Amino acid sequence: MTLSFQQALSTVREKLSAAGAAVEVVSLDGVRGRVLATDVVADRDYPPFHRSTRDGYAVRSGDLTKLPATLECGGEVRAGEHFAGKVAPGQCVAIMTGAPLPAGADSVLMLEYTRREGNRVEASRAVEVFENVVRQGSEAAAGGRVLPRGRRLGPSEMGLLATVGRAQVEIFREPRVAIIPTGDEIVPLDRQPERFQIRNSNAVTLTAQVAEAGGIPWRLGIAPDRAEPLRKLIEEGLSADLLLLSGGVSMGKYDLVEQVLADLGAEVFFQGVAIRPGKPLVFGRVRERFFFGLPGNPVSTFVTFELFVRPAIALLGGAEFEYPVFLRARLGKPFRQRLGLTAFMPARVEVQNGEPEVNLVGYQGSGDMVGVAAANCFLVVHPEQTDLAAGDWVDVLPKPVN
Ligand code: AMP
Ligand code: MG
């Protein structure tokens, strides 16, 4: 049975969500791109004190109801200091950005609205209570959760971990992902191909995609289209957390992947998704290991990885499920389709007159990596979108860049 794109995604999510990953402790600088294994809480209030966001004067807002008002300056407080005294009625304290608000004051008047002569400060503007101040604990209260378990850690999350003093971080181990290319015509890169042979590009694409998705790629040898050697390689690959096969899942006489997996006792969750490219995609489990049989055409391999394998690796690595995120752009030229499929076509999105506009790149079908390399995204056309006009808002799947 062929599933819709959404049904297939839900199946992957459902089957993999129980998967648990092992935990390791790593120093903060080493966690970029990794997945947090515990909730992280604030060690103290953030900000830890009422913090001024401006250079100016710490004042009592009630002193500035009649303008102009004249205040007496009782001192200065800089970032990294603490003002020991108290601001009494009619007084103010010079304050710098990042400094704690002195006791007695309830707001900061910007320097721009003041004139100073000696110790006398003339204020030309009123302030609200807590104006130009970030209140203690308003970003996070001590003990409150600032990051959830399962969150992938990028530079901003790492900065937050540093803020709350986490020099050592508990993270999940990355899943190991075995990559098995199949096909009698596929030759390794170090060999000059005959005219009828094809270089093993999928293993290179998939290795990079796995690493980018947060897995550890493990590249196995090329399986010929014969059951016995294919079976041996699959059995070897089963020591990984996830098994990716490329090619051999179509209807041809020498497409043996499904047969060999069935002989090994595989349970198949789906076999065929209403997408183009990538229709013959297979997803299942064999001997406790999940596998994907990716159609061998290089564009099909690439797209089915982005749609299904990327979120699967995230789940196996303890992360939240990462649905593919589609952005929106205006369609440059009208487009018709009657396929009843979700189509993903190499395209470029560029800003035209202040709006994102998407246009297809020249493309010869699912073998054409030249077209994909020229693209920066895929135009996504859903089954019900049979006639699209120029200027319509459409979905776009960005292509990963690193
Ligand atoms: P298949 O899915 O085995 O029918 O293969 C479909 C197409 O993808 C064929 O033209 C193959 O030559 C090509 N192909 C399969 N595997 C690879 C690979 N590892 N690298 C590049 N092209 C491949
Ligand atoms: Mg093949």
Side-chain angles (χ1 to χ4, degrees):
M1 195 188 71
T2 298
L3 299 189
S4 73
F5 171 52
Q6 283 305 330
Q7 287 169 329
L9 258 186
S10 305
T11 305
V12 171
R13 177 179 199 170
E14 218 174 87
K15 295 297 176 190
L16 285 167
S17 52
V23 173
E24 60 186 322
V25 179
V26 167
S27 72
L28 178 54
D29 280 319
V31 304
R32 191 167 64 87
R34 303 294 297 273
V35 177
L36 199 56
T38 56
D39 284 351
V40 171
V41 299
D43 61 320
R44 53 180 183 162
D45 285 342
Y46 287 94
F49 48 85
H50 295 326
R51 186 182 65 217
S52 175
T53 63
R54 292 284 187 274
D55 296 321
Y57 291 91
V59 298
R60 302 168 70 104
S61 55
D63 284 347
L64 306 184
T65 44
K66 273 217 198 102
L67 295 171
T70 303
L71 303 170
E72 183 210 337
C73 185
E76 179 186 280
V77 60
R78 301 156 56 165
E81 289 180 352
H82 167 74
F83 187 77
K86 199 173 166 195
V87 178
Q91 291 185 336
C92 66
V93 165
I95 191 166
M96 314 300 150
T97 301
L101 192 69
D106 63 15
S107 52
V108 171
L109 177 65
M110 285 168 71
L111 203 56
E112 287 85 332
Y113 303 115
T114 62
R115 246 187 32 216
R116 181 166 177 172
E117 263 173 52
N119 270 352
R120 291 163 62 82
V121 175
E122 193 185 280
S124 59
R125 200 175 186 270
V127 282
E128 313 253 321
V129 175
F130 286 120
E131 190 167 327
N132 300 319
V133 171
V134 184
R135 283 201 225 188
Q136 177 176 341
S138 62
E139 295 163 358
R145 188 173 76 166
V146 291
L147 285 170
R149 165 193 161 98
R151 178 62 47 85
R152 203 176 283 283
L153 302 171
S156 64
E157 290 77 14
M158 291 169 69
L160 179 52
L161 288 166
T163 301
V164 300
R166 287 297 183 104
Q168 302 287 316
V169 189
E170 276 181 71
I171 53 177
F172 289 115
R173 280 192 196 281
E174 296 167 295
R176 224 155 67 97
V177 182
I179 299 166
I180 303 179
T182 75
D184 284 338
E185 78 282 27
I186 307 303
V187 297
L189 242 68
D190 57 9
R191 218 166 85 200
Q192 184 60 37
E194 302 282 354
R195 215 154 66 90
F196 45 84
Q197 292 179 322
I198 300 292
R199 289 196 182 96
N200 179 18
S201 67
N202 284 350
V204 173
T205 312
L206 287 170
T207 299
Q209 284 177 300
V210 166
E212 213 256 342
I216 301 171
W218 174 34
R219 221 188 271 179
L220 282 87
I222 300 165
D225 293 319
R226 278 182 287 123
E228 213 24 60
L230 177 57
R231 181 193 166 105
K232 281 226 168 66
L233 277 165
I234 291 176
E235 282 181 318
E236 193 186 338
L238 287 175
S239 68
D241 299 301
L242 178 68
L243 184 57
L244 301 181
L245 292 124
S246 113
V249 290
S250 304
M251 300 300 286
K253 184 172 164 195
Y254 299 101
D255 290 325
L256 301 174
V257 165
E258 284 161 278
Q259 187 53 54
V260 169
L261 284 164
D263 291 346
L264 288 168
E267 185 185 356
V268 172
F269 302 127
F270 63 73
Q271 190 164 20
V273 184
I275 54 172
R276 181 147 106 177
K279 195 158 180 284
L281 177 69
V282 183
F283 171 54
R285 185 166 46 200
V286 58
R287 299 193 188 159
E288 318 269 278
R289 289 289 180 272
F290 291 97
F291 66 84
F292 286 93
L294 308 173
N297 263 311
V299 185
S300 312
T301 305
F302 182 82
V303 169
T304 49
F305 183 98
E306 287 304 312
L307 298 175
F308 298 99
V309 184
R310 175 183 293 279
I313 290 175
L315 285 176
L316 286 170
E320 301 154 310
F321 190 73
E322 294 163 1
Y323 271 107
V325 174
F326 298 150
L327 306 179
R328 305 281 276 170
R330 284 199 189 276
L331 188 62
K333 296 206 177 71
F335 186 84
R336 312 186 75 193
Q337 71 134 0
R338 298 275 192 274
L339 297 170
L341 304 168
T342 307
F344 299 86
M345 283 157 295
R348 284 197 75 82
V349 64
E350 253 129 39
V351 176
Q352 299 282 351
N353 305 319
E355 280 189 331
E357 182 182 298
V358 61
N359 282 289
L360 295 175
V361 299
Y363 175 56
Q364 300 302 316
S366 52
D368 186 359
M369 279 307 262
V370 180
V372 176
N376 66 4
C377 68
F378 291 86
L379 167 64
V380 184
V381 183
H382 300 281
E384 67 282 3
Q385 293 179 306
T386 50
D387 286 283
L388 288 166
D392 281 356
W393 284 102
V394 290
D395 280 347
V396 157
L397 174 69
K399 200 174 88 171
V401 285
N402 53 347

